[in-house]
Amino acid sequence: MKTILIANQKGGCGKTNTAITLASALAAKNYRVALADADNQKSSLQWLKQRPEQSPTIQSLDWRNDKSIGDAPKNLEYLIIDAPGALSGEHAEHLISESHAIIIPIQPSFFDIDSTRRFLKHLQEIKRVRKGKVELHLLANRVKSNSASSQNIQEFFSKIEQQPVAWISERSAYGQLAMQGLSVFDKHQKLYQTIQKQWQPLLNAIIDDPTAWF
């Protein structure tokens, strides 16, 4: 089983949307996948409750309590963890100890960039990350093309010498579908296929699957 943690200490950066999108992408490819919610806001758990029965199956795990972290079915192929915003201390190390990769969504705003800079520094203080046992992937999220904020976030990536694995545009479809317990990977129309392709570089980075996704 490969465990993928979605984390950033900045709230509102799109962690839950990233988590549910990845989980539904994996489910659509018939992988055995679970979504673990470690955030007290329990947004992922609420999304799963809304998910239609006929949709590809995503198992639900409640990891809000420290004692439940690590408790997962043995037959899973992928586990996606929606981390809490205030990820620090022993709680952070506990979640990271369960993870093979960390995806860090970041929006193109000064506050997100500043918070992410500090979060990346904090991660490097964790032994498992420092030793390279956990993959770190930045995800440029809710990006508006040709905006000044987009230029600022590009300058940030250049400064830290790490480019994002994918650029995800801001779309109203994410919120509209989430209200129904769905994501863009639950739809097959051309519009959604265009959106899905933005996630392909991230899927390629974390999933060892050479077959066509779309």
Side-chain angles (χ1 to χ4, degrees):
M1 178 181 72
K2 184 170 185 178
T3 302
I4 301 161
L5 177 67
I6 316 299
N8 195 334
Q9 65 185 16
K10 174 69 172 63
C13 64
K15 292 190 298 294
T16 297
N17 183 65
T18 301
I20 66 177
T21 302
L22 288 178
S24 59
L26 290 162
K29 285 279 283 184
N30 297 316
Y31 284 113
R32 295 187 298 276
V33 58
L35 178 55
D37 197 337
D39 192 341
N40 284 330
Q41 294 186 32
K42 60 179 183 180
S43 298
S44 291
L45 290 173
Q46 294 294 347
W47 177 79
L48 284 165
K49 285 182 180 179
Q50 300 297 321
R51 191 160 176 78
E53 289 185 8
Q54 65 271 25
S55 300
T57 301
I58 301 172
Q59 296 188 54
S60 176
L61 300 176
D62 187 346
W63 279 18
R64 289 175 295 160
N65 188 314
D66 271 352
K67 293 181 180 179
S68 61
I69 294 176
D71 184 15
K74 301 298 183 184
N75 66 338
L76 289 178
E77 294 174 276
Y78 289 95
L79 172 60
I80 309 297
I81 307 172
D82 186 5
L87 187 64
S88 60
E90 291 184 8
H91 189 60
E93 294 207 30
H94 197 175
L95 285 173
I96 291 169
S97 71
E98 297 289 332
S99 305
H100 301 95
I102 302 173
I103 297 171
I104 306 165
I106 171 174
Q107 290 192 90
S109 76
F110 167 79
F111 299 106
D112 282 75
I113 290 170
D114 182 62
S115 178
T116 300
R117 181 186 291 110
R118 287 183 279 113
F119 183 60
L120 288 170
K121 183 179 180 180
H122 167 68
L123 285 178
Q124 290 302 325
E125 296 172 355
I126 295 176
K127 186 176 180 181
R128 183 173 166 80
V129 174
R130 192 168 61 248
K131 289 192 170 185
K133 294 183 178 181
V134 183
E135 305 168 17
L136 296 182
H137 299 291
L138 296 175
L139 180 70
N141 198 30
R142 296 175 181 167
V143 178
K144 296 179 180 179
S145 59
N146 302 320
S147 66
S149 58
S150 296
Q151 182 178 352
N152 291 339
I153 198 172
Q154 181 60 73
E155 290 174 355
F156 167 70
F157 293 135
S158 298
K159 188 173 182 179
I160 66 171
E161 298 182 341
Q162 183 176 351
Q163 289 298 309
V165 68
W167 293 78
I168 308 300
S169 300
E170 184 176 39
R171 298 274 190 153
S172 60
Y174 290 112
Q176 293 168 357
L177 290 170
M179 293 177 65
Q180 307 168 52
L182 300 172
S183 89
V184 294
F185 283 96
D186 292 305
K187 296 292 185 177
H188 307 290
Q189 293 92 331
K190 187 174 181 180
L191 166 65
Y192 298 107
Q193 290 176 356
T194 300
I195 300 175
Q196 290 167 9
K197 288 178 181 177
Q198 293 190 336
W199 294 86
Q200 186 67 70
L202 177 58
L203 293 168
N204 289 345
I206 60 175
I207 310 299
D208 185 15
D209 188 341
T211 62
W213 281 76
F214 312 110

